[in-house]
Amino acid sequence: MTLIDIIGSVAATLTTISFLPQAWHTFRTKDVSGISLGMYCVFTTGVACWLVYGLLMDAWPIVISNAITVSLAAMILGMKLRYR
């Protein structure tokens, strides 16, 4: 692993981990009242684009972290649509 790969892996891990408390809280409480539908639509689309970018660049830290984040974000978005 190069220094660039290590930095990318650390950044991907930290940003994915930072998203977990919000996802866990939302799944546990099903409270989506404080979540902006517009923001989550844009966020989920952006993360999906990062995932595609990572796949095209063959950048596995980007692929793995964004695959996890887009899955969680899509579930929260689905809950926002269901429980609003």
Side-chain angles (χ1 to χ4, degrees):
M1 253 185 148
T2 67
L3 180 59
I4 292 171
D5 292 330
I6 292 169
I7 292 170
S9 295
V10 169
T13 300
L14 292 174
T15 55
T16 300
I17 288 172
S18 72
F19 189 71
L20 291 177
Q22 177 67 54
W24 177 253
H25 175 76
T26 304
F27 297 145
R28 189 173 42 84
T29 64
K30 294 184 176 41
D31 177 15
V32 293
S33 61
I35 293 175
S36 164
L37 179 60
M39 179 272 185
Y40 256 83
C41 287
V42 171
F43 177 76
T44 304
T45 302
V47 174
C49 289
W50 273 114
L51 174 60
V52 172
Y53 173 80
L55 288 168
L56 294 172
M57 295 297 293
D58 199 30
W60 289 104
I62 293 173
V63 171
I64 293 166
S65 63
N66 285 292
I68 293 167
T69 304
V70 79
S71 298
L72 295 170
M75 286 189 271
I76 292 172
L77 182 58
M79 289 176 65
K80 179 64 178 178
L81 293 170
R82 182 175 179 191
Y83 297 120
R84 58 179 165 158

